Amino acid sequence: MSTAFSIPLISRQQLDALGWHSRRVRHELKDDMRRIAATTTRGRVRAERVIGLADGRAQLPGESISRLRLLELGFAAPSLQVPIPGPHGRTFWVDFGLDDVGAWGEFDGRVKYRELPEASGRNAFEVLEQEKRREDWIRGTTQRRFARWGWGDLKDAATLGRRLAAFGIEPHTAGNST
């Protein structure tokens, strides 16, 4: 199979998984992919969209899908992996800064509450309690709304939109001045 035809089959998650740590490498790879995509009409628009969305800061596939859903809903491109100053010199990281609407968002997969406790030697209650304190700190010090969602909320943009609306988080639209 030629490279030109395999470009449309590359998922956003696969591109994120490449770990684009260097800005120069990201630009070079994106330029190479655009040159390859330009050699065919099959899948060119999709390839350009995937290339434009790929970002090495996504830590989980659910974060990549979340970013796509947020854009589909009409939110501005979110800030990714946003550092928030925490107590005692700590830094808390938030998956999404929805700066256009003054909110934070987090994708929570199963790892955080099922596998992380075992790996860290803590029980699930301790992990949940720590997450609750972290979220309270972030909401309290930034005065922003905060929403969490999981895999079930990502099946389509409308489902995520309903989840966010339940927290008063909606994209700016012609009839919405949130």
Side-chain angles (χ1 to χ4, degrees):
M1 180 181 293
S2 77
T3 308
F5 291 108
S6 63
I7 290 293
L9 302 177
I10 295 174
S11 72
R12 192 176 44 268
Q13 294 86 358
Q14 290 168 317
L15 289 174
D16 285 347
L18 292 173
W20 298 10
H21 302 294
S22 160
R23 182 177 294 216
R24 183 181 58 78
V25 170
R26 283 194 309 269
H27 288 288
E28 288 176 9
L29 185 54
K30 283 184 177 186
D31 288 345
D32 288 345
M33 293 173 74
R34 283 188 177 101
R35 275 193 296 281
I36 292 168
T39 64
T40 183
T41 57
R42 181 176 174 230
R44 182 182 299 167
V45 172
R46 182 173 177 214
E48 283 290 333
R49 186 169 187 215
V50 169
I51 293 165
L53 288 174
D55 191 306
R57 292 172 292 177
Q59 294 178 333
L60 300 168
E63 292 177 17
S64 296
I65 296 168
S66 295
R67 191 168 64 250
L68 176 63
R69 297 289 185 238
L70 291 166
L71 294 171
E72 288 172 343
L73 287 167
F75 288 97
S79 301
L80 304 176
Q81 301 303 324
V82 182
I84 308 292
H88 313 294
R90 294 182 63 193
T91 300
F92 294 133
W93 297 88
V94 179
D95 295 340
F96 302 100
L98 303 173
D99 302 323
D100 58 325
V101 296
W104 302 113
E106 291 244 314
F107 168 77
D108 283 341
R110 295 181 178 136
V111 172
K112 186 179 286 181
Y113 302 109
R114 291 191 183 160
E115 296 173 21
L116 185 61
E118 292 175 17
S120 67
R122 296 177 290 163
N123 65 46
F125 175 75
E126 291 169 323
V127 170
L128 187 60
E129 184 178 42
Q130 182 179 353
E131 275 297 297
K132 175 66 175 140
R133 283 194 305 264
R134 174 183 163 274
E135 183 179 323
D136 286 347
W137 176 273
I138 292 168
R139 271 190 286 109
T141 60
T142 66
Q143 298 299 301
R144 283 182 159 198
R145 291 160 291 166
F146 195 114
R148 292 178 181 273
W149 57 85
W151 282 110
D153 302 305
L154 296 179
K155 71 178 186 173
D156 55 44
T159 302
L160 180 59
R162 286 188 297 275
R163 173 77 179 169
L164 295 175
F167 291 90
I169 301 171
E170 298 179 273
H172 288 297
T173 61
N176 178 9
S177 59
T178 302

